[in-house]
Amino acid sequence: MGRVLSFVFGRMLIQVCLYFYCKFLWRCLKFVMRKLTGRCELQRICYNTKPGASRTMKIETSLRDSKSKLLQTSVSVHPDAIEKTIEDIMELKKINPDINPQLGISLQACLLQIVGYRNLIADVEKLRREPYDSENPQHEEMLLQLWKFLKPNTPLESRISKQWCEIGFQGDDPKTDFRGMGLLGLYNLQYFAERDAAGAQQVLSDSLHPKCSKFSKAEWEKKRMDKAIGYSFAIVGINITDLAYNLLVSGALKTHFYNIAPEAPTLSHFQQTFCYLMHEFHKFWIEEDPMDIMEFNRVREKFRKRIIKQLQNPDMALCPHFAASEGLINM
């Protein structure tokens, strides 16, 4: 037992020493590069890296890992303080803004994205933590709007009704299904149904009658999708909301947002991403052709890994082509 503890302690000690050695070596390298090029690390990144996720993520890492308190805290300042923060950084680094005007512009764009991403997490988290309240008229109106957008030709007979199962809720009162993701699930579903009405209605129809989807007969036979297992649209929407939320909080979506949002990513960008994930998961589900609904977790996990792998590419932008994506702007 003593030998095992000694081995573990020794290994930990080596890792700690290696960490501080690498950190010291990196700072020495930065110092040498500054002397050789006459530019600080922030300048080198802005001048040598193209706009988008590649540049913004390098700037974010450089600021966060800096020994300067000013640079460390710059990634969490209020959006209104970004301009003043950049002036302070330029002064600290002894950079003349008149000689280097593009640097301030580039840093401002990066900080708007970095700070905006942090604020987006806060906004999304606030919605996730707010429970659905059937006594709140606004909540009830959003739920009824969801029905109208998805089933425009079928009136809802009553607020408590088995009809809710037709759009993929589990029982006669959808409020119980929003517990996991709170209002965020409803916000996303309503956004999808309103902004991409035709697409959402098609996905809903396919989820109920998968063999009537847009796949041709030849594609069905080629892929041997004979079982054609459907799924509960609304429940899957809430589940995909959970996937989008975790991608956001983990930082995986930085690649996407830093590539498509020229300034601060907003809740609309997040909801557009949800719409994209719904379309992609729907196609993925049909292609996977699961044996039964019990395979949902397996298919979802495989889909999650595929999206994460895509997002590991610094040039990646989940650029969908559907109605809800019309506001997306590429860098």
Side-chain angles (χ1 to χ4, degrees), residues 106-124:
S106 298
L107 281 177
Q108 184 174 27
C110 291
L111 274 182
L112 281 169
Q113 290 182 319
I114 295 165
V115 172
Y117 193 93
R118 292 171 66 96
N119 291 339
L120 176 58
I121 291 177
D123 292 341
V124 167

Side-chain angles (χ1 to χ4, degrees), residues 236-247:
V236 167
I238 294 170
N239 201 289
I240 295 300
T241 293
D242 176 73
L243 172 60
Y245 166 78
N246 282 292
L247 289 173

